[in-house]
Amino acid sequence: MSTAVAPDVAERLRSAQRAARQIGLLDDAAKVGLLAGIADEILAQTPAIIEANAADLARGDAEGISAGLRDRLLLDAARVAALADAVRAVAELPDPVGRVLDERELANGVRLQKVAVPFGVVASIYEARPNVTVDITALALRSGNAVALRGGSAAQSTNGALIAAMRSALVAAGVDPGGIQSVDDLGRDGARALMRARGLVDVLVPRGSAQLIETVVTESTVPVIETGAGVVHIVLDESAPLEWARDIVVNAKTQRPSVCNAVETVLVVRSAADRLIPPVSDALIAAGVTIHGDAEVQQRVPAAVAATDDDWATEHMSLDLSMRVVDDLDEAIEHIRRYSTMHTESIITADDANAERFLAEVDAAVVMANASTRFTDGGEFGFGAEVGISTQKLHARGPMGLPELTSTKWLARGAGQTRA
């Protein structure tokens, strides 16, 4: 029994359900061909997509959107080509549907198999991220699902052009185009409808700000896979090599500051503070970063601004970074426990014992030693693309790819057996 939603949305979702039944039965070769067609159509529609994106950018500029939001929204020819490449990468991945996860035979001869099956209709609510429109659609179709999208008003024109291109590819492949649905035109009412469409939406994945994710988690009546904001930390311990510390911190902050796996707080063990803070800070400042430092950081970095208590819990998503001196690894881990959003945490160290302790004790979806937090990404993990980065502990955790968009069912094959 579905929760009452607006008739227009309900009809779109019922259309998605009908298409999901067809998509779920496509074999591997058909799904590969379908995604290849989508990639080709996205490339063919590059001028129209960029034109639509320009309209969104112009509207955003007039409304004073932030630099970080504008960067996530921007599509140029290279980024459109990257979207098509991501679709092709997903197509090359193994089909997750039909995998045998468990197999046994009962004493009475009934044979059991636990197999991976599509969810059905996967919905996503997200903000100003045109890449998500393509990534989630490609992952949903490759895993045999239909998709329902709410991509936010800031990217409405861009998402419309991308969805039109992808639905055109479905038609060309003989697949029901109802398998890709959007409620962007309905604004927040569309988002609320997706959250309440129990029985019509099988799983909902939010991506975006902490506020958006909290709203979806608390207000939804449909099952939600929670993706989290990224208050991401890097710890520099007493043995951290300067070159590693400098290069990794600068990369993690500046390579793309507007994304959830960019570092937001650097914790420096006091015994390494004099050695590491000045050169690491110099490199950050040279890259345009504003350092929000505690009193000890400010003593060593005159250009640093004073950190506030709120800074430790802030996902800046900009060229701002919080930096604090801690007594030891114990205090660093305690700081992370207090402020972490359980997304990604990293330590830079030459001490194997410290590295292994950090990996074992820190609770996050991804815990790293001596690597940039920017690697927490479905593409970098070899998933081709990602649905999101789950920070919850049920069903899926960390970057979510194709297997996380499947559920399971048991198949039982008998020969007339009855239970005594």
Side-chain angles (χ1 to χ4, degrees), residues 36-373:
I38 286 175
D40 289 343
E41 190 63 23
I42 287 173
L43 283 179
Q45 295 299 323
T46 296
I49 292 167
I50 291 176
E51 181 179 356
N53 185 248
D56 285 333
L57 290 171
R59 186 173 62 255
D61 289 340
E63 295 172 356
I65 62 172
S66 68
L69 181 63
R70 194 183 197 282
D71 177 63
R72 292 196 301 273
L73 176 58
L74 173 66
L75 287 183
D76 54 20
R79 286 190 176 184
V80 173
L83 294 180
D85 288 343
V87 174
R88 296 188 198 282
V90 171
E92 293 174 359
L93 296 172
D95 189 347
V97 177
R99 290 173 298 132
V100 177
L101 306 173
D102 195 356
E103 194 166 20
R104 63 189 67 188
E105 185 171 328
L106 303 183
N108 62 12
V110 173
R111 293 180 294 114
L112 299 176
Q113 283 186 322
K114 183 181 183 181
V115 298
V117 296
F119 274 117
V121 177
V122 175
S124 186
I125 299 173
Y126 51 100
E127 299 171 320
R129 299 169 186 244
N131 64 297
V132 175
T133 302
V134 175
D135 288 350
I136 289 187
T137 300
L139 289 163
L141 295 172
R142 186 71 175 99
S143 53
N145 297 288
V147 68
L149 304 168
R150 158 62 176 157
S153 58
Q156 185 170 337
S157 297
T158 307
N159 289 336
L162 290 168
I163 289 168
M166 293 189 291
R167 294 189 75 173
S168 177
L170 264 62
V171 172
V175 174
D176 185 349
I180 305 174
Q181 295 290 337
S182 171
V183 296
D184 277 358
D185 59 308
L186 301 175
R188 293 181 180 177
D189 288 342
R192 281 190 287 269
L194 289 183
M195 290 188 278
R196 296 169 185 170
R198 190 171 181 86
L200 296 172
V201 167
D202 294 288
V203 66
L204 174 59
V205 183
R207 287 188 64 175
S209 67
Q211 181 181 4
L212 178 146
I213 292 164
E214 179 66 18
T215 298
V216 172
V217 169
T218 57
E219 295 187 11
S220 291
T221 63
V222 302
V224 175
I225 297 178
E226 182 175 356
T227 61
V231 179
V232 171
H233 301 79
I234 293 178
V235 176
L236 309 181
D237 84 349
E238 58 270 22
S239 68
L242 171 57
E243 185 176 356
W244 287 6
R246 182 187 61 234
D247 293 352
I248 288 172
V249 169
V250 170
N251 176 261
K253 178 73 265 184
T254 68
Q255 199 262 344
R256 197 171 179 190
S258 64
V259 293
C260 60
N261 56 24
V263 66
E264 302 294 4
T265 298
V266 172
L267 304 173
V268 186
V269 171
R270 178 166 284 106
S271 57
D274 288 335
R275 179 173 66 88
L276 294 179
I277 288 177
V280 171
S281 297
D282 286 347
L284 287 165
I285 292 168
V289 176
T290 298
I291 297 172
H292 301 244
D294 69 358
E296 294 195 56
V297 170
Q298 288 180 277
Q299 289 172 6
R300 296 170 173 87
V301 184
V305 301
T308 67
D309 288 342
D310 289 342
D311 282 325
W312 311 122
T314 296
E315 184 182 23
H316 295 292
M317 304 190 83
S318 61
L319 287 173
D320 291 87
L321 180 139
S322 307
M323 186 180 292
R324 178 188 172 193
V325 175
V326 292
D327 287 338
D328 49 28
L329 185 55
D330 287 332
E331 188 176 7
I333 292 175
E334 185 56 39
H335 178 104
I336 290 170
R337 285 176 180 153
R338 179 175 179 182
Y339 294 105
S340 174
T341 54
M342 296 186 179
H343 188 294
T344 302
E345 311 295 354
S346 185
I347 186 172
I348 313 304
T349 179
D351 185 323
D352 289 344
N354 279 355
E356 293 305 315
R357 181 187 168 198
F358 189 85
L359 293 171
E361 293 187 20
V362 172
D363 186 12
V366 179
V367 186
M368 300 177 165
N370 300 320
S372 171
T373 59

